[in-house]
Amino acid sequence: MSVQNLMNEAEQRIKAKEVFTVVDANGEIRDDVKVITPLMQEQAQKKKEMVTYKNKSENPFIFTEMDGVKFVELTTLENKQLGYFLVMQTYIDYDNMLRAKGAKLPMKPVELRKAFKITDTRTFNKIMAVFEELGLIYKKEVEMYGKSYEAIFVNDKYCFKKGLQGDNKNRKTVTAVKIFIDTLQEVFEQKKVTAGDVGIIYKAIQYLHYNSNVLAQNPSEMDEAFVQPLDMEEFADALGMSRQGIHKKLIALKYPCTYREQEVELKVFARVQVGKHTFLKLNPFVAWRKAGEPPVESYIEFIMEYNKRTK
């Protein structure tokens, strides 16, 4: 049964609720009192879950821990290696097993190598050996459809998916960022974008402010009056790059998408000028911390920049 059919069924069941008569202490019938039974609560919750599942299916995402790049294992990696690791995370299933989009079986090394845009097998094997040695990934035999396969798993210390069921169903996401799978993969597919560029995105999410998507020194500060944005030079220093170097990288980081039935090319980072300082904002359709879809006010700068660029 499709997700839409399940939602319709849940809605019909809720509408078909029983009618109750409420009588107060004086024996008068109260029409202004609403009775919600446990069954009605269960039905409402099911409808909510169906809507959530539908949204995730249309714009799927993974959760990546914000401070992952600060973990000892990842501090030893170069930007290029970090980029490959973030790309890899977009292929996990609900068990953190790598699986190509739409595939029923575990992802093969040759499929992952192509996803990495690596033509040389030895280069790919060296990267995977480093990841395995650091405990970022591990291999395990799995039984599927009556056969045994060697599968690659990503350590859920760094990323995970939340489903209606499973080990991560109740896992907290306060310190995690939603990475939109299709967008990140689309960014990396661009000819001018390298794994090192994706590594910049990975390093940026540790600074992602909860409400604004601006890169900030205190990304979880809820009072905007006390948010301390990270300016361009500070971000460049954090990456070990020059301001000119990071500027060139940010220009190259674009991806094509459909906005209001039109093909547009949006930037991954927007520059926000405040006085003499230039701050950066990460495209909310690449990474987003809040629940639900990013509202239009969260990405208006990217649409305006595109309109200005193409006129």
Side-chain angles (χ1 to χ4, degrees):
M1 184 179 290
S2 68
V3 172
Q4 187 61 51
N5 287 340
L6 287 171
M7 291 174 61
N8 291 339
E9 181 183 337
E11 187 170 329
Q12 289 171 3
R13 292 176 63 193
I14 292 170
K15 287 182 179 179
K17 60 183 179 291
E18 299 177 53
V19 178
F20 293 85
T21 301
V22 178
V23 181
D24 64 17
N26 298 319
E28 296 183 1
I29 296 177
R30 297 288 299 275
D31 295 326
D32 60 333
V33 178
K34 183 178 180 181
V35 177
I36 301 177
T37 68
L39 176 60
M40 291 163 59
Q41 288 180 324
E42 180 183 348
Q43 292 170 338
Q45 178 62 27
K46 187 167 184 66
K47 181 182 179 182
K48 180 180 178 182
E49 289 179 351
M50 288 300 105
V51 172
T52 301
Y53 181 79
K54 181 175 180 290
N55 290 339
K56 288 183 178 180
S57 300
E58 291 179 345
N59 201 0
F61 57 85
I62 58 164
F63 284 103
T64 295
E65 291 293 345
M66 288 182 66
D67 292 334
V69 291
K70 297 179 182 178
F71 297 160
V72 176
E73 312 86 71
L74 296 193
T75 57
T76 63
L77 299 181
E78 300 173 348
N79 282 353
K80 180 187 294 187
Q81 295 168 313
L82 285 173
Y84 286 132
F85 187 46
L86 186 58
V87 169
M88 179 189 289
Q89 292 177 29
T90 64
Y91 290 97
I92 63 171
D93 64 10
Y94 289 100
D95 295 316
N96 270 48
M97 182 181 78
L98 295 188
R99 194 195 302 250
K101 188 174 183 178
K104 295 181 179 180
L105 298 177
M107 197 173 195
K108 298 176 182 178
V110 65
E111 294 175 315
L112 183 59
R113 178 168 61 81
K114 289 180 180 179
F116 280 177
K117 300 195 299 189
I118 295 177
T119 55
D120 182 58
T121 304
R122 288 180 298 179
T123 300
F124 172 75
N125 289 339
K126 286 181 181 178
I127 292 170
M128 295 299 286
V130 170
F131 288 170
E132 193 166 7
E133 184 180 351
L134 292 174
L136 310 185
I137 64 172
Y138 61 93
K139 298 175 182 178
K140 187 174 71 173
E141 291 288 324
V142 295
E143 293 289 333
M144 301 181 71
Y145 306 104
K147 292 185 179 181
S148 180
Y149 300 90
E150 183 178 70
I152 303 170
F153 291 79
V154 178
N155 190 330
D156 66 3
K157 174 181 178 181
Y158 308 96
C159 63
F160 57 96
K161 272 187 174 183
K162 286 191 69 168
L164 301 179
Q165 297 179 354
D167 295 339
N168 292 315
K169 178 181 179 181
N170 298 317
R171 183 164 170 176
K172 295 184 182 300
T173 58
V174 178
T175 60
V177 170
K178 289 193 296 189
I179 300 293
F180 290 101
I181 295 171
D182 293 339
T183 306
L184 188 75
Q185 291 179 2
E186 188 68 49
V187 169
F188 186 53
E189 285 175 7
Q190 305 311 301
K191 290 183 178 180
K192 293 183 179 181
V193 176
T194 67
D197 298 331
V198 179
I200 292 175
I201 298 174
Y202 202 169
K203 284 190 172 179
I205 65 174
Q206 65 184 302
Y207 303 111
L208 194 64
H209 183 246
Y210 184 82
N211 287 324
S212 65
N213 256 43
V214 167
L215 303 191
Q217 298 177 28
N218 51 346
S220 294
E221 175 58 62
M222 293 302 175
D223 189 335
E224 278 74 6
F226 295 98
V227 175
Q228 300 173 5
L230 200 70
D231 65 28
M232 184 86 86
E233 290 187 3
E234 291 171 324
F235 185 52
D237 289 342
L239 296 173
M241 300 174 63
S242 65
R243 180 177 176 133
Q244 184 178 9
I246 189 64
H247 176 71
K248 290 181 179 179
K249 291 292 184 182
L250 299 184
I251 291 177
L253 278 168
K254 303 174 191 172
Y255 72 99
C257 66
T258 302
Y259 177 73
R260 292 187 176 179
E261 300 181 352
Q262 291 187 348
E263 290 295 323
V264 299
E265 188 180 52
L266 300 184
K267 288 192 173 184
V268 174
F269 289 92
R271 287 179 294 175
V272 181
Q273 191 77 31
V274 180
K276 297 181 179 180
H277 297 279
T278 301
F279 307 120
L280 295 175
K281 180 174 182 175
L282 184 56
N283 189 316
F285 282 115
V286 175
W288 181 244
R289 291 184 63 185
K290 303 176 80 171
E293 292 286 316
V296 65
E297 59 267 22
S298 69
Y299 56 82
I300 189 64
E301 298 96 333
F302 298 89
I303 300 298
M304 291 172 67
E305 188 278 335
Y306 168 78
N307 290 336
K308 184 178 180 181
R309 178 165 29 104
T310 53
K311 283 184 179 180

